[in-house]
Amino acid sequence: MSIKVGIAPDSWGVWFPQHEKQTPWNRCMDEMKESGFEGVELGPWGYFPNTNPKLKEALEKRALSLVAGTVGGDFLDDTSIDEMCKTIDEIAALLKDFPEAKYIVLLPSMYTDLETGVLVMNPELTKEQWTTYCRNVQRAADRVEKHGLIGTFHPHVDCHVQTEEQIEALLNDTSVQLCLDTGHHVYGGGEPISFYLKHADRIPYIHIKDCDLSVKAKMEQEKWSFAKAVTEDIMVEPGKGSIDFEKFHDALVKGGYEGWVVVEQDLFPVKSFDVPLPIAKAARRNLTNAGF
């Protein structure tokens, strides 16, 4: 069995293709390597170079493997999914040059604004809206599959699929596979170790993240948005929050998991470009101690 550990640009405070508060892409990639990781995700489409040979040369220079791409969309909006499918085609064309990049992560739109936390959609869906949502998730996953890749739906904070009940409803009503994000799963009230073991056959790809439940309790008491909670360090490096990653590693072995796990840590906006590197190094060290 082989589990490799990668990291995503999110751990350098990257939420958007371009933003003045985000770490420059070349520094991010340099520090991914320096932190001890073997592979990377693309992050928001357009943050890293999205043409070859530029991307290929940048990764080879640092001896990093490309693991996956990521694309987001509003699964309640057919037009948004039209655009999402076009982006999937573009990402897939890029990934064909990278043999270990087998996944495209499908990110749902949040019902709160990513920067301000203001409510922008109704958190509750009607039966008809749920049908539309599932149809569009399936459509996006099928589009990925046409390229010989695996589309993995990513349950997410402040989205219509974040609790275990909601995730299981999606699994029941579609044939899509999951990108299980351990931190988002805990945030949504779930327990990622038992959930993984229950649904290992539908989870080919994993994001490793940890959640500080004491910060979440304060968030709920003071009614912070997720955007505000991120600035208060609700998401922390693996081993610093509520998840026992030794037990999680054992569960992956038991479930026959092979391939990549990718560390993500929500840090937007970083207070300084010097902040992410020591955190990423600590994350890699903690995971090594947990058996990864």
Side-chain angles (χ1 to χ4, degrees):
M1 169 167 177
S2 175
I3 299 177
K4 299 179 181 179
V5 184
I7 196 164
D10 188 18
S11 297
W12 274 261
V14 177
W15 280 2
F16 306 98
Q18 293 183 330
H19 200 291
E20 68 275 5
K21 295 180 180 179
Q22 292 182 168
T23 306
W25 77 264
N26 49 356
R27 176 172 180 169
C28 174
M29 199 179 283
D30 285 341
E31 293 185 355
M32 287 173 156
K33 177 63 177 177
E34 185 178 346
S35 303
F37 291 90
E38 301 175 75
V40 305
E41 273 190 16
L42 282 177
W45 183 238
Y47 171 67
F48 283 148
N50 58 5
T51 58
N52 281 326
K54 189 173 183 180
L55 177 62
K56 196 172 183 68
E57 289 172 351
L59 291 168
E60 287 177 350
K61 175 183 174 183
R62 298 165 176 87
L64 291 168
S65 297
L66 182 63
V67 176
T70 303
V71 59
D74 179 357
F75 291 107
L76 293 172
D77 182 350
D78 291 344
T79 301
S80 175
I81 305 309
D82 290 342
E83 293 302 313
M84 189 180 193
C85 286
K86 291 177 184 177
T87 304
I88 286 170
D89 294 344
E90 293 172 0
I91 294 173
L94 184 73
L95 296 191
K96 67 180 175 57
D97 293 328
F98 302 93
E100 295 202 63
K102 299 177 182 178
Y103 307 99
I104 296 181
V105 178
L106 308 173
L107 284 170
S109 295
M110 294 171 62
Y111 50 71
T112 56
D113 185 87
L114 196 55
E115 290 195 75
T116 66
V118 172
L119 196 66
V120 293
M121 283 193 282
N122 191 333
E124 304 297 326
L125 298 183
T126 65
K127 185 177 180 180
E128 292 75 16
Q129 286 175 318
W130 177 251
T131 298
T132 297
Y133 195 99
C134 290
R135 183 184 71 243
N136 280 328
V137 170
Q138 189 70 61
R139 180 185 168 201
D142 290 347
R143 186 67 163 242
V144 176
E145 188 175 341
K146 285 182 179 180
H147 294 283
L149 302 169
I150 301 169
T152 57
F153 179 86
H154 185 308
H156 199 282
V157 164
D158 285 2
C159 288
H160 296 102
V161 177
Q162 69 168 325
T163 67
E164 289 192 353
E165 181 181 9
Q166 291 166 337
I167 298 168
E168 292 192 329
L170 184 78
L171 291 174
N172 185 64
D173 293 343
T174 70
S175 64
V176 301
Q177 306 213 64
L178 293 181
C179 170
L180 174 65
D181 184 302
T182 57
H184 286 282
H185 199 84
V186 167
Y187 181 101
E191 198 288 288
I193 297 173
S194 59
F195 189 86
Y196 168 75
L197 288 172
K198 183 178 181 181
H199 297 290
D201 62 328
R202 298 285 291 274
I203 303 173
Y205 189 59
I206 288 171
H207 280 174
I208 293 246
K209 185 180 289 182
D210 214 346
C211 182
D212 187 328
L213 291 180
S214 65
V215 177
K216 186 169 189 287
K218 189 174 182 181
M219 168 191 175
E220 291 169 347
Q221 181 180 2
E222 302 193 12
K223 302 189 186 312
W224 293 340
S225 67
F226 178 66
K228 165 66 175 173
V230 167
T231 68
E232 299 290 337
D233 300 326
I234 191 167
M235 297 299 182
V236 291
E237 62 265 28
K240 194 177 178 181
S242 62
I243 300 169
D244 185 329
F245 281 98
E246 282 191 50
K247 289 184 178 178
F248 187 65
H249 178 270
D250 291 346
L252 295 186
V253 172
K254 183 177 180 180
Y257 188 87
E258 293 187 352
W260 291 90
V261 296
V262 172
V263 173
E264 272 200 329
Q265 184 170 344
D266 297 307
L267 285 176
F268 181 87
V270 291
K271 299 178 177 67
S272 160
F273 292 158
D274 294 329
V275 167
L277 180 59
I279 294 174
K281 286 181 175 180
R284 188 64 191 95
R285 183 172 58 250
N286 292 349
L287 286 174
T288 298
N289 292 338
F292 289 92

